[in-house]
Amino acid sequence: MSIADEPGRISRMRAKAEELEQAAERAADPKERQRLRDKARRLSDQSEQERGMTGGNADPV
């Protein structure tokens, strides 16, 4: 993957994290809700870390 692909990849990661957070809000089971939130947080953290490695040229949240 080239550097030019990184902003799109980071945007997709952020979008997926948001989808997971929304799914967590809809989840009836507390364990499932927490699992989804944890996964969303990890993905969001990873996207922030990768954004930092690309010089921060991705769209801000």
Side-chain angles (χ1 to χ4, degrees):
M1 182 176 296
S2 72
I3 298 274
D5 295 335
E6 288 300 312
R9 181 170 181 264
I10 292 168
S11 293
R12 287 190 301 275
M13 289 170 68
R14 286 181 161 167
K16 182 63 177 177
E18 181 63 30
E19 287 175 24
L20 289 168
E21 189 63 42
Q22 290 173 0
E25 294 296 321
R26 294 188 301 268
D29 179 43
K31 288 182 181 181
E32 179 68 4
R33 186 178 310 124
Q34 188 61 48
R35 185 188 72 78
L36 290 167
R37 283 190 176 139
D38 290 345
K39 191 171 181 178
R41 188 175 307 115
R42 282 191 305 271
L43 199 54
S44 180
D45 290 348
Q46 184 181 356
S47 72
E48 285 299 313
Q49 185 178 36
E50 289 192 21
R51 184 174 78 122
M53 290 189 312
T54 62
N57 60 358
D59 295 334
V61 175

